Amino acid sequence: MGPSSLDTPLVYLKGVGPHRAELLKKELGIQTYGDLLAYYPFRYIDRTRFYKIAETTADLPYVQILVRLKSFELIGEGRKKRLLAQAIDDTGEIELVWFQGISWVQKHLVLNQVYVIFGKVNFFNAKAQMAHPEIELYQKNALSRGNLKLQPVYSTTEKLKQHALDAKGIQKLTANVLDSCLQEVINLLPEYVIQQYKLVPRAQALYQIHFPSNAEDLRVAQNTLKYEELFQIQFRMLRAKLIRTQKFKGHIFDTVGEKFNRFYHELLPFPLTNAQKRVVKEIRTDTQRGSQMNRLVQGDVGSGKTVVALMTMLLAVDNGFQACLMAPTEILATQHYLSLKALLKDDFVSIALLTGSTKKRERAKIAAMLESGELSILIGTHALIEDSVQFKNLGLAVIDEQHRFGVEQRAKLWRKNFIPPHVLVMTATPIPRTLAMTLYGDLDVSVIDELPAGRKPIETLHLFESQRLRMFGFMKREIAKGRQVYMVYPLIQESAKLDLKNLLDGVETMRHEFPLPKYQISIVHGQLKADEKEFEMQRFVKGQTHIMVATTVIEVGVNVPNASVMVIENAERFGLSQLHQLRGRVGRGAEQSYCILMSGDKLSKDGRTRLETMVKSSDGFEIAEIDLQLRGPGNIEGKEQSGVMELKLADLAMDQHILAEARKTVIKIFEEDPQLEKPEHQCLKILLLKSDTGITLNKIS
Ligand code: ADP
Ligand code: MG
């Protein structure tokens, strides 16, 4: 493939000199003709039709209306001065408002003339209003020229505007590029895919997205480019996966040995759920195939992922390999270590904990045992991926709460061996299917979609600040029954000090209601040293304190079955999935558990929806789906590695069906033509040339 004129630097484009080229690069990152074509409008102004006043609603975008000006009225003084105009059509009345440029408006606009007004309609007391409309005298012949269009609007910056690169300026440049090299735009998608999904050729899509002839053509153009975007991500991910399975041999765990059996038949204190059994089976299949396993296990909080991880690790050990389990925080790693030790009862498997605060001497001992192979299972934090940690024969890496580990970090583990270990990733953050496909497109996904039997659903209620005493009363009754209570305060990084103050104030208020020595309180927050934190946590774990007041450090993993109440302060400040995670801290014992969401009396619309969702639903996947709708994918951790950030048009919440179709297509292509030898797939080879997706898997050897 030779150089395309789409790669031409912008400085050569008509209307762009060196100075503007530099500005475009600096301000918008646009450097070539192609970049400019990929700089899509962020909205369109509908100039294709006139609305009637009676038809307008507050959720319409910008509209144009034909009106007759009826009266002007100047009101207010000084800075509050504004000009109101009443305008009518045959369906109603609309008020026009100007705060600035008043004398210009007064001088140029004429009563009883017909004008085209253009802008956003708002409603005050059910009366339509438009502030600072674009306004021009209505000319019949302008209509007949057929220049009514969907006008693209590009986002731009103050600096660019100063150099005549406002939305219109950018549009002009885009037109120049389209004029000079549209014919060079080639299709990325195979012809039959374009046909099958009713898309259009790439050149046409690019033209239409910048200069739509009508709403329908625009929709098809957008669909095409969205499809292409999502297709590319899936193509790269699934190809990486293909290469990985072809290239990387995997250790074969074909023995179910003494340790696995001993645990399963003698120590496991409960029957596995069907979902757990299914996942263990999937893992067994993966690990006998001879290629590397990369499996994501999704399971709601409390679904029992830890046991699945442990059984997989025992399988590795039975086959002569070492295993490690990596957790995102020290508290979690410690908790895993303790609960695995408890599950294993005695020392028939050697297991150790390595974190940032492991003492030097202990560290050295662990290192020696790792290298000699004496140590079978290592639990820890990021400390595990330090270069000083060398396994003798790592066969399995389990990563808990993977979204906090990047692909890079995963890869780092693998370099430690010649044959990479199997990787099992566990996440308690249920991720909507669409997002899982995009974020973890290179992983196989298992779902534990069943909670252990006998769990009582957690009762969730939402109380306002004015009902605080009721909440305190409830806490006291639960504590009197021998239960324990979590009380969580939000933590926002930027104002950690303020949040801490919030928490401490809260504790002080509580003290009146919960006096010493009758009520013992643990306080845990980010400003404590690790050992202080640990001490306070342990007091609660051992049942020495009744209430644990904490910031979100307890979000994941902490397991205290006797705790039956989770109070979340300022619940409206938390995201949905975080609320769900927190709620999962209770309901782990036999008792009925409760989650109380405390909020201020005033709530935003989103805040209200979040709290209502929590009260209504306990299904992590449903909650995750609603979360995605509310927040968009922008806030979901892990997205940086996945290409989601690069999405220009597609919206993972809105365009799930396109993603599903694109993925299906890519899977089929790789099944039928893995080497891309068919003539109709030659167009895809350009995707092989394009560099990195952030997936480093195929670069390891
Ligand atoms: P998570 O999936 O959130 O990591 P855990 O693995 O911590 O969940 O399990 C939550 C609790 O449920 C633990 O106390 C665990 O021992 C228990 N558990 C796990 N599997 C089962 C099961 N099949 N039956 C009963 N209890 C189970
Ligand atoms: Mg867990």
Side-chain angles (χ1 to χ4, degrees), residues 270-273 276 300-307 452 455 559 588:
F270 39 70
L272 292 184
T273 63
Q276 285 169 321
D300 217 336
V301 265
S303 61
K305 294 182 294 293
T306 314
V307 172
R455 292 265 171 86
N559 191 13
R588 306 191 145 225

Side-chain angles (χ1 to χ4, degrees), residues 468 471-472 475 485-489 503 506-507 510 514 521-522 524 540 547-552 554 565-569 598:
R468 177 165 291 272
M471 185 266 285
F472 282 151
M475 283 172 62
V485 178
Y486 290 107
M487 202 162 192
V488 178
Y489 281 81
L503 181 151
V507 174
M510 273 175 66
F514 298 92
I521 304 182
S522 291
V524 179
F540 189 72
I547 304 170
M548 175 148 101
V549 179
T551 48
T552 43
I554 63 162
V565 183
M566 166 64 69
V567 177
I568 304 177
E569 296 282 356
M598 296 299 297

Side-chain angles (χ1 to χ4, degrees), residues 302 305-306 332 336 400-401 426 428 557 585 588:
K305 294 182 294 293
T306 314
L332 263 178
H336 270 309
D400 197 9
E401 294 305 327
M426 304 194 297
R585 295 305 104 210
R588 306 191 145 225

Side-chain angles (χ1 to χ4, degrees), residues 466-652:
S466 46
Q467 299 165 293
R468 177 165 291 272
L469 285 181
R470 195 178 138 197
M471 185 266 285
F472 282 151
F474 181 77
M475 283 172 62
K476 283 181 195 161
R477 284 196 297 282
E478 284 294 301
I479 292 171
K481 285 193 240 163
R483 307 282 96 77
Q484 288 165 283
V485 178
Y486 290 107
M487 202 162 192
V488 178
Y489 281 81
L491 177 72
I492 293 178
Q493 228 70 39
E494 302 91 83
S495 63
K497 272 214 183 99
L498 208 72
D499 288 320
L500 181 59
K501 180 172 181 305
N502 232 348
L503 181 151
L504 295 178
D505 287 351
V507 174
E508 197 159 319
T509 317
M510 273 175 66
R511 270 294 172 209
H512 296 289
E513 294 286 327
F514 298 92
L516 282 165
K518 185 170 177 205
Y519 294 102
Q520 298 289 331
I521 304 182
S522 291
I523 302 176
V524 179
H525 54 79
Q527 319 268 311
L528 293 180
K529 295 212 184 67
D531 53 343
E532 294 169 330
K533 221 185 279 179
E534 187 54 31
F535 177 76
E536 285 290 299
M537 292 275 233
Q538 284 309 321
R539 291 209 305 150
F540 189 72
V541 171
K542 289 181 193 144
Q544 294 164 351
T545 58
H546 303 99
I547 304 170
M548 175 148 101
V549 179
T551 48
T552 43
V553 286
I554 63 162
E555 186 184 340
V556 273
V558 177
N559 191 13
V560 181
N562 189 48
S564 66
V565 183
M566 166 64 69
V567 177
I568 304 177
E569 296 282 356
N570 298 112
E572 73 274 21
R573 281 172 60 184
F574 290 89
L576 257 182
S577 56
Q578 211 178 6
L579 288 172
H580 181 64
Q581 289 288 316
L582 285 169
R583 180 168 60 183
R585 295 305 104 210
V586 295
R588 306 191 145 225
E591 307 307 324
Q592 174 62 52
S593 291
Y594 305 88
C595 174
I596 302 178
L597 307 168
M598 296 299 297
S599 83
D601 292 332
K602 274 217 170 111
L603 285 175
S604 69
K605 187 159 159 266
D606 272 10
R608 185 175 294 275
T609 310
R610 284 198 299 272
L611 300 185
E612 280 169 3
T613 303
M614 286 298 293
V615 170
K616 214 168 53 202
S617 176
S618 56
D619 176 343
F621 283 94
E622 185 186 2
I623 289 173
E625 194 66 55
I626 295 172
D627 196 30
L628 178 62
Q629 307 283 348
L630 284 179
R631 301 202 299 170
N635 291 303
I636 294 177
E637 290 175 82
K639 67 204 178 282
E640 291 82 1
Q641 292 98 35
S642 64
V644 175
M645 289 305 278
E646 298 155 27
L647 289 178
K648 290 200 158 107
L649 270 187
D651 170 334
L652 290 181

Side-chain angles (χ1 to χ4, degrees), residues 245-264:
T245 45
Q246 284 171 349
K247 190 151 139 195
F248 290 131
K249 290 208 176 58
H251 301 298
I252 296 180
F253 298 172
D254 54 1
T255 317
V256 177
E258 179 226 320
K259 296 196 186 336
F260 184 99
N261 280 325
R262 170 121 176 246
F263 175 74
Y264 188 61

Side-chain angles (χ1 to χ4, degrees), residues 192-193 196-197 227 231 660-670:
Y192 70 91
V193 174
Q196 189 181 344
Y197 292 100
Y227 191 102
F231 181 94
E661 281 171 3
R663 181 173 171 87
K664 212 171 73 190
T665 308
V666 176
I667 289 175
K668 199 150 163 271
I669 289 173
F670 282 129

Side-chain angles (χ1 to χ4, degrees), residues 209-226:
I209 200 153
H210 291 291
F211 294 93
S213 11
N214 57 54
E216 177 56 19
D217 287 353
L218 173 61
R219 196 188 58 78
V220 176
Q222 284 172 328
N223 263 356
T224 301
L225 294 170
K226 284 174 179 179

